[in-house]
Amino acid sequence: MMSTQLFNFRKHSWPPDEYVNRATLQLLDFDGGAPPEQAWRRRLNSHANILKEFSVTFMEAIKMMHLGIRLWSYVRKEASQGRKAPIDPFTRERYKPSASLGVPLGGMGSGSISRGFRGEFKNWQIIPGSCEWSPVMANQFSIFISRNGGNKKYSSVLAPGQHEGIKKSGDQGISSWDWNLSGQHSTYHALFPRAWTIYDGEPDPDLKISCRQISPFIPHNYRESSLPASVFVYTLVNSGRERAKVSLLMTWGNSIGGISHQSGGHINEPFIGRDGVSGVLLHHKTANDNPHVTFAIAACETQNVSVTVLPSFGLSGESCVTARRMWGTMVQDGCFDWENFNAGPCMPSLPGETLCAAVSASTWVEPHGKCTVAFALAWSSPKVKFQKGRTYLRRCTKFYGTSERSAVNLVHDALTKYKWWEEEIEKWQSPILKDERLPEWYKFTLFNELYFLVAGGTVWIDGGSIAEENTNQNNSTMIMNKDARIMSTENSSMDLVAEDSAACTGMENADANGVPRSLISQDNSYDVGKFLYLEGVEYVMWCTYDVHFYASYALLCLFPKIELSIQRDFARAVLFEDRRKVKFLASGTWGIRKVKGAVPHDLGMHDPWHEMNAYNIHDTSRWKDLNSKFVLQVYRDFAATGDMSFGRDVWPAVCAAMEYMEQFDRDGDGLIENDGFPDQTYDTWTTHGVSAYCGCLWLASLQATAAMAYHLGDTTSAEKFHIKFLKAKPVFEAKLWNGSYFNYDSGMSRNSRSIQADQLAGQWYTASSGLPSLFDDTKIRSTLQKIYDFNVMKVRGGRIGAVNGMYPNGRVNDYCMQSREIWTGVTYSVAATMLLAGMEHQAFTTAQGIFTAGWSEEGFGCKVGHPWHGDFVCICENYRDRSLFFLSSGL
């Protein structure tokens, strides 16, 4: 339990009146226009901190030379066949570490678009596994203000003009627009899934403006949370003495990021919808035979707000209507011709041509008056196609169908339901935001860390709804023979697949297309479909399981049905074997893709659920943590939900996973041993013999299996695993306990005495799941105090998190790259373990180090981002491990 005296050292982080004038906050406190007290904040004229690239040492480079050569060859071979390798460190320009991002747009699993805190739309992830980083600069909000009968006018893009290519003389494109916003008096406030941008007298000194961005991320709502839509609500307050005509403009390019706008064949058309919702549809013809995408931009006409559109304009002089001409019309008239709604679809764009659209909403704001104007963006991308050809329907098609014109209904519902979305979001967030015991930084970081469930390359498909195109797929066709074995007829020239046909076993039957039912189960007990998310944009693998171990608390807390669906996918995978040959790049040896009984590292990349283990650095069937992590996650989810059906369904896989691990207890002492290579999630950090990390996870899994067996009525198994636990525990302590912490492993090297931050990972899950502690309280607290004193406080005074490894002499472990890194997920899990052990001050000091290093202006100042690195100590941050919800499990 959390004591009421816990946070007497608490300080308020970034109070809003330090960023926005208090009088302005009071004026905007109307219809949700004022930002919350707890939020991540930045001035719009802030420059994103330069994120330092992490480099390996000379010795590390020597050690990894052979791996690097094999990986380079593999990346090239994949590229020659039109595919991306899941790990590609050789094309770093695609992954530009950024500290300029803000709250992403849309719900989960329907493709995402991120938005920078200055207002730019960037990091496009519409195509699964693909991320286009650069902003589409035509996508902007702008404002036009006219006072005193037109004698006083203001016009500006509502973003600072600090981007490359802006303000080119003579340009017919966006450089011709007015980029008059300095950003000095404008601020961004993020509290996921909402964000506020406050323009305090910019560009008009007498007009206060708030833009509130809202996306439908609503815990336990499996409908709204799947929708690809966002709303932008503008609150306008006229503090002047003159009536003001205000026109807001939303412009949008027909693009899905990168150079996609230049491919040609794109079409825009205006629409008038129900309830005053009108705008423009932008039909995007995707390249490489990817499914189509249709955007809808719209505004809501009311008694006080009129909406007009310009269905198409271009960025070059060859366009019929140029961006310069469009801007001039808005400066002069503040609106477009109403007849534009009758224009119909435009001609398809030519290759190299950029096609854009605009929606204008105009209103009058009386002196000291207030007004609200709402815009919305939605995109319809009903089908998901993976690189090996399989196509699925997204979750949102269950509610909106597959028509490209469903974007009209999406944008309509967004504009008519956003107030209800906000009510639900506030019901969820208010108890935490109002809890006076919690530090301010924790409150908003807890919510903002959830961005990865939207911007983590997530894919959410409707359960069992494999699209019709799959019937025509010739790639990797599976045919079931009389022995219930499925022979793969995949092209033998495919990289890393041996010339002899491989076999997939473990399925009882297959569907009409030969697809193994054990992989694409039609079981849809919860009617939530299937969910995927990436380990990170640099590690393009779906649902990487060793790190789902750290991130899954967020799903369990907020979307438990999705979490159980993912666990069912892995439970089925445990019983499956794929005998296709794969080359492991670290050793250069060959093995099979998926061994029966072994938990897969991931659900694949190019053909998820069907071709697992995209990771091919090591043979993960020999890893010592995956099976234990599977058992621990399954038991935690079973205990948290009380779902007996789930427990019974996955129990055979739990038993198989535990039985598989017995082969690694080579001396019969009840403990598994590591094999002298990096055979766990720290895949550059070698372990020998019994290790603290894998051994502790194994002890915890023995106890969890016994407890689960007991709850399921399998008393024989319960007794069996309890006896195994009682046998293994004293051996673990005897081999690793040194009087103050558990040694890294039982080997004889200097590395073996390392203080590993993650050494009590098994105890973390044990305590979180309500099971008895693995060790006595004295050992647990002594270990955690050692980690706090060394891994936390001896590295930059505790203001950067917990470094993975420390030597007993107080120096950072430089054995390998990962031993000297700081992983956000590990730091949060260590903090959670401390909290569960009653070490409250140490817990929040440890977690605050990540906040200070990653979020505050004295650190890197990131809101959301991708792997970023420090100096000698590396802070690694991927989508996979950014969740504070496991820290909240100890509250």
Side-chain angles (χ1 to χ4, degrees):
M1 293 293 293
M2 186 176 59
S3 75
T4 57
Q5 303 299 318
L6 176 56
F7 302 116
N8 54 9
F9 58 88
R10 180 182 71 247
K11 68 175 182 178
H12 292 272
S13 301
W14 301 330
D17 57 357
E18 287 187 7
Y19 279 69
V20 184
N21 182 279
R22 185 177 294 274
T24 300
L25 290 173
Q26 292 174 346
L27 288 172
L28 290 172
D29 192 14
F30 160 74
D31 195 29
E37 291 185 6
Q38 297 92 4
W40 181 89
R41 311 184 196 282
R42 278 292 179 276
R43 298 191 192 280
L44 265 60
N45 66 343
S46 299
H47 289 277
N49 291 336
I50 298 174
L51 304 183
K52 300 176 182 178
E53 294 290 335
F54 181 73
S55 58
V56 298
T57 66
F58 176 76
M59 290 305 299
E60 288 168 348
I62 294 297
K63 289 180 182 178
M64 294 190 293
M65 182 175 62
H66 294 294
L67 167 61
I69 293 171
R70 296 187 193 104
L71 181 58
W72 179 74
S73 177
Y74 169 62
V75 168
R76 289 189 63 195
K77 202 163 189 179
E78 285 290 279
S80 70
Q81 299 185 27
R83 295 190 298 268
K84 293 193 300 184
I87 301 174
D88 179 7
F90 306 106
T91 51
R92 296 282 299 179
E93 66 274 7
R94 290 185 300 152
Y95 311 119
K96 299 177 181 178
S98 173
S100 64
L101 293 180
V103 173
L105 307 179
M108 301 189 299
S110 292
S112 72
I113 306 166
S114 292
R115 199 172 183 214
F117 67 78
R118 298 192 192 98
E120 65 272 33
F121 295 86
K122 59 199 298 184
N123 286 34
W124 299 71
Q125 297 186 79
I126 305 297
I127 305 299
S130 174
C131 181
E132 295 290 350
W133 291 83
S134 299
V136 176
M137 291 305 296
N139 298 354
Q140 300 289 347
F141 285 101
S142 303
I143 194 165
F144 304 83
I145 306 160
S146 177
R147 293 179 182 270
N148 192 23
N151 291 324
K152 187 188 297 183
K153 288 189 174 185
Y154 304 89
S155 60
S156 181
V157 178
L158 289 174
Q162 300 171 353
H163 304 279
E164 184 179 351
I166 297 300
K167 297 183 178 178
K168 292 180 181 177
S169 60
D171 184 35
Q172 297 297 312
I174 63 173
S175 295
S176 63
W177 298 353
D178 298 324
W179 298 80
N180 295 327
L181 200 77
S182 71
Q184 181 179 357
H185 302 292
S186 301
T187 54
Y188 180 83
H189 310 251
L191 186 66
F192 179 89
R194 296 188 292 172
W196 290 254
T197 305
I198 307 301
Y199 306 90
D200 191 0
E202 289 190 279
D204 181 347
D206 292 326
L207 188 69
K208 313 301 182 184
I209 308 167
S210 167
C211 174
R212 187 164 84 259
Q213 172 188 314
I214 309 152
S215 293
F217 183 95
I218 304 171
H220 306 286
N221 188 318
Y222 297 87
R223 183 188 191 277
E224 303 297 311
S225 298
S226 72
L227 305 185
S230 285
V231 178
F232 306 88
V233 181
Y234 280 85
T235 301
L236 308 173
V237 179
N238 184 358
S239 61
R241 298 178 180 180
E242 300 169 321
R243 191 180 188 217
K245 181 183 180 182
V246 180
S247 297
L248 288 159
L249 177 71
M250 182 181 187
T251 52
W252 200 259
N254 196 324
S255 170
I256 57 173
I259 58 172
S260 59
H261 57 284
Q262 297 180 357
S263 58
H266 313 311
I267 298 173
N268 294 353
E269 63 169 315
F271 72 89
I272 298 177
R274 296 172 288 123
D275 301 315
V277 175
S278 55
V280 181
L281 288 175
L282 298 89
H283 304 285
H284 186 83
K285 182 180 179 182
T286 56
N288 301 321
D289 200 30
N290 281 307
H292 70 265
V293 180
T294 297
F295 293 95
I297 58 172
C300 190
E301 184 156 316
T302 67
Q303 184 177 357
N304 301 317
V305 178
S306 61
V307 177
T308 56
V309 301
L310 182 63
S312 62
F313 69 90
L315 302 185
S316 66
E318 291 77 24
S319 304
C320 292
V321 179
T322 64
R324 176 187 286 271
R325 179 179 166 189
M326 181 278 297
W327 190 265
T329 298
M330 287 299 300
V331 171
Q332 179 67 33
D333 304 326
C335 63
F336 301 113
D337 191 335
W338 176 260
E339 290 299 317
N340 288 343
F341 280 114
N342 300 321
C346 70
M347 294 294 294
S349 63
L350 299 174
E353 181 182 11
T354 301
L355 184 64
C356 304
V359 175
S360 168
S362 302
T363 187
W364 285 94
V365 187
E366 300 298 328
H368 307 292
K370 301 177 180 179
C371 186
T372 298
V373 178
F375 291 85
L377 165 71
W379 56 96
S380 172
S381 176
K383 296 179 181 180
V384 181
K385 181 180 179 182
F386 293 98
Q387 282 194 296
K388 287 195 174 179
R390 295 188 197 272
T391 305
Y392 304 86
L393 298 180
R394 293 192 191 267
R395 168 74 174 175
C396 56
T397 62
K398 183 179 181 68
F399 315 109
Y400 286 87
T402 59
S403 168
E404 61 187 34
R405 299 191 67 84
S406 64
V408 174
N409 294 328
L410 281 162
V411 82
H412 168 271
D413 288 358
L415 283 167
T416 56
K417 294 170 69 175
Y418 75 85
K419 291 184 179 180
W420 174 72
W421 290 353
E422 290 195 283
E423 289 175 4
E424 295 300 302
I425 291 167
E426 288 171 3
K427 286 178 187 177
W428 159 46
Q429 295 184 337
S430 289
I432 295 171
L433 297 177
K434 293 179 180 178
D435 192 334
E436 290 297 324
R437 299 170 300 167
L438 298 172
E440 300 299 303
W441 68 265
Y442 173 80
K443 294 177 183 180
F444 60 81
T445 306
L446 178 70
F447 295 111
N448 285 335
E449 292 277 19
L450 291 169
Y451 78 90
F452 77 96
L453 289 176
V454 172
T458 56
V459 172
W460 193 355
I461 66 168
D462 191 22
S465 58
I466 303 175
E468 292 180 356
E469 292 95 304
N470 289 342
T471 60
N472 300 320
Q473 295 301 325
N474 296 318
N475 244 5
S476 192
T477 302
M478 301 292 186
I479 303 174
M480 181 70 71
N481 69 9
K482 63 181 179 180
D483 296 320
R485 295 178 65 85
I486 301 174
M487 302 303 294
S488 169
T489 60
E490 191 163 0
N491 189 333
S492 60
S493 65
M494 181 179 171
D495 188 31
L496 301 188
V497 177
E499 291 185 357
D500 57 316
S501 292
C504 303
T505 66
M507 283 69 69
E508 296 177 357
N509 50 27
D511 67 12
N513 299 320
V515 177
R517 292 193 194 277
S518 62
L519 290 183
I520 298 293
S521 170
Q522 302 305 306
D523 171 70
N524 202 17
S525 305
Y526 304 110
D527 191 29
V528 296
K530 289 178 174 291
F531 191 83
L532 299 170
Y533 69 100
L534 293 175
E535 177 174 339
V537 291
E538 285 187 319
Y539 306 101
V540 190
M541 296 166 281
W542 300 110
C543 293
T544 301
Y545 200 72
D546 56 327
V547 290
H548 185 66
F549 179 77
Y550 297 92
S552 58
Y553 273 86
L555 284 173
L556 178 61
C557 290
L558 305 178
F559 298 95
K561 293 179 181 180
I562 291 179
E563 167 63 11
L564 295 188
S565 172
I566 292 173
Q567 298 300 354
R568 286 178 184 272
D569 286 341
F570 278 91
R572 286 187 287 270
V574 168
L575 305 177
F576 166 72
E577 184 164 272
D578 183 345
R579 299 192 62 82
R580 285 173 289 185
K581 297 293 184 180
V582 173
K583 184 177 183 179
F584 301 115
L585 303 181
S587 63
T589 60
W590 289 77
I592 66 174
R593 178 172 289 278
K594 168 65 180 66
V595 176
K596 185 176 181 180
V599 173
H601 173 273
D602 55 79
L603 291 177
M605 177 184 177
H606 302 307
D607 196 7
W609 300 294
H610 296 266
E611 186 179 273
M612 294 172 287
N613 283 333
Y615 177 91
N616 59 350
I617 303 297
H618 297 288
D619 180 359
T620 59
S621 70
R622 295 177 60 199
W623 277 18
K624 309 306 184 297
D625 61 339
L626 289 172
N627 283 38
S628 296
K629 288 176 174 177
F630 168 72
V631 172
L632 288 172
Q633 289 182 73
V634 163
Y635 179 75
R636 179 207 58 192
D637 296 350
F638 172 64
T641 62
D643 191 325
M644 295 299 292
S645 174
F646 168 75
R648 286 190 293 268
D649 289 347
V650 300
W651 178 242
V654 169
C655 293
M658 294 300 288
E659 181 182 354
Y660 180 85
M661 292 299 290
E662 291 181 1
Q663 64 180 299
F664 302 120
D665 176 15
R666 296 184 176 85
D667 56 8
D669 61 0
L671 272 179
I672 59 171
E673 285 88 35
N674 293 84
D675 285 332
F677 75 100
D679 50 357
Q680 25 74 40
T681 189
Y682 298 88
D683 56 359
T684 66
W685 201 355
T686 298
T687 45
H688 297 272
V690 176
S691 70
Y693 183 64
C694 296
C696 188
L697 289 170
W698 173 245
L699 288 179
S701 66
L702 288 171
Q703 184 171 247
T705 306
M708 189 169 182
Y710 173 80
H711 288 298
L712 293 174
D714 187 347
T715 54
T716 301
S717 294
E719 182 178 2
K720 168 187 170 184
F721 287 103
H722 182 62
I723 291 172
K724 286 178 175 288
F725 169 73
L726 294 177
K727 179 181 180 181
K729 175 183 172 180
V731 178
F732 179 87
E733 293 181 322
K735 290 191 174 184
L736 297 180
W737 181 249
N738 62 22
S740 60
Y741 66 95
F742 294 98
N743 288 335
Y744 177 72
D745 63 29
S746 60
M748 302 302 293
S749 70
R750 180 190 180 203
N751 183 53
S752 298
R753 290 277 294 172
S754 291
I755 307 163
Q756 185 180 13
D758 215 4
Q759 62 186 277
L760 289 182
Q763 171 60 26
W764 166 43
Y765 257 73
T766 293
S768 299
S769 303
L771 293 170
S773 293
L774 297 178
F775 316 107
D776 63 66
D777 289 346
T778 302
K779 285 188 174 68
I780 293 171
R781 291 178 68 89
S782 173
T783 300
L784 292 172
Q785 188 64 47
K786 193 76 172 183
I787 294 168
Y788 178 76
D789 291 340
F790 280 70
N791 302 64
V792 178
M793 298 307 296
K794 287 187 181 296
V795 183
R796 301 191 187 175
R799 302 187 63 78
I800 200 168
V803 68
N804 286 338
M806 290 287 289
Y807 288 126
N809 64 4
R811 295 182 61 84
V812 172
N813 185 327
D814 58 356
Y815 175 83
C816 67
M817 181 169 57
Q818 289 176 338
S819 64
R820 56 191 176 96
E821 290 176 343
I822 293 173
W823 292 358
T824 58
V826 170
T827 294
Y828 288 153
S829 71
V830 169
T833 312
M834 291 172 174
L835 198 60
L836 290 160
M839 302 172 65
E840 297 164 338
H841 174 80
Q842 293 91 329
F844 278 89
T845 301
T846 298
Q848 189 172 3
I850 292 295
F851 164 79
T852 301
W855 294 71
S856 71
E857 291 190 89
E858 64 182 277
F860 290 103
C862 300
K863 153 57 188 83
V864 294
H866 312 291
W868 46 266
H869 310 288
D871 300 318
F872 179 65
V873 177
C874 167
I875 304 171
C876 282
E877 177 207 334
N878 283 315
Y879 291 124
R880 51 160 167 133
D881 56 14
R882 292 210 61 170
S883 174
L884 271 175
F885 268 80
F886 41 69
L887 179 56
S888 68
S889 68
L891 298 180

